[in-house]
Amino acid sequence: MNLFYYSALAGLIGAAFTNGATYGFRFIGVKTSLPWEIAANVFLNPRFIYTPAGVVIGLAGTIALSTGIAIMIGYLLRWTGYNRAWLKGMICADAFGFITLGLAVNLFNIWPQLRNEPGTNLVALAVLSSLGMIQALLFQRWQRNLVWK
């Protein structure tokens, strides 16, 4: 199988983890926005975010972002090797998070309240770090099956 198949699989796993872990932080009392809320706000006006269509669009957005991170991690591991894959995955996912949450969200005014939510930023850092490690370890496990075309 090729990289994009495995990236899609890692993206689905990663999106489930990201949304679930962030919801877990919210459940224990951390004031944080959920990833699907921010992703839905990219495509929809705020009044449509919490509709069934908004939830589906937001979840699809998180799957796409998680798949994009997985593709980047896959190529990084191909170019640099699989030693310390967990660390490379963590760095790659955190860099992607800094670009999206730190730059794009503010530049395009996607989720304006993000600057007033330190919990969301801290949770995002923890979850993205874990996501990168998980996806890198999945690629390390799947490396024998990867076909680079």
Side-chain angles (χ1 to χ4, degrees):
M1 295 283 175
N2 67 14
L3 171 70
F4 295 103
Y5 170 81
Y6 286 110
S7 294
L9 184 57
L12 285 170
I13 293 167
F17 168 77
T18 301
N19 284 292
T22 306
Y23 181 77
F25 277 106
R26 184 185 267 187
F27 184 76
I28 63 171
V30 178
K31 293 183 181 181
T32 182
S33 295
L34 298 172
W36 69 263
E37 292 173 319
I38 299 170
N41 198 45
V42 170
F43 303 104
L44 300 171
N45 288 324
R47 66 186 177 135
F48 295 117
I49 293 172
Y50 299 100
T51 64
V55 174
V56 170
I57 290 169
L59 289 173
T62 61
I63 292 168
L65 286 172
S66 181
T67 301
I69 292 171
I71 290 169
M72 290 178 12
I73 291 170
Y75 275 113
L76 177 69
L77 293 175
R78 177 183 183 199
W79 296 328
T80 64
Y82 289 89
N83 58 326
R84 294 183 193 82
W86 62 272
L87 181 60
K88 294 173 186 177
M90 182 179 76
I91 292 168
C92 191
D94 284 339
F96 189 82
F98 286 132
I99 291 168
T100 56
L101 288 176
L103 181 63
V105 168
N106 291 318
L107 186 64
F108 299 115
N109 202 28
I110 294 170
W111 196 252
Q113 63 267 36
L114 185 64
R115 289 184 173 204
N116 296 320
E117 296 179 349
T120 298
N121 289 295
L122 292 171
V123 166
L125 180 63
V127 170
L128 284 171
S129 294
S130 301
L131 169 69
M133 287 189 269
I134 290 167
Q135 288 183 332
L137 292 172
L138 286 172
F139 277 115
Q140 188 173 31
R141 181 179 177 98
W142 297 333
Q143 70 179 314
R144 288 187 189 97
N145 300 330
L146 277 171
V147 176
W148 296 96
K149 290 184 180 179

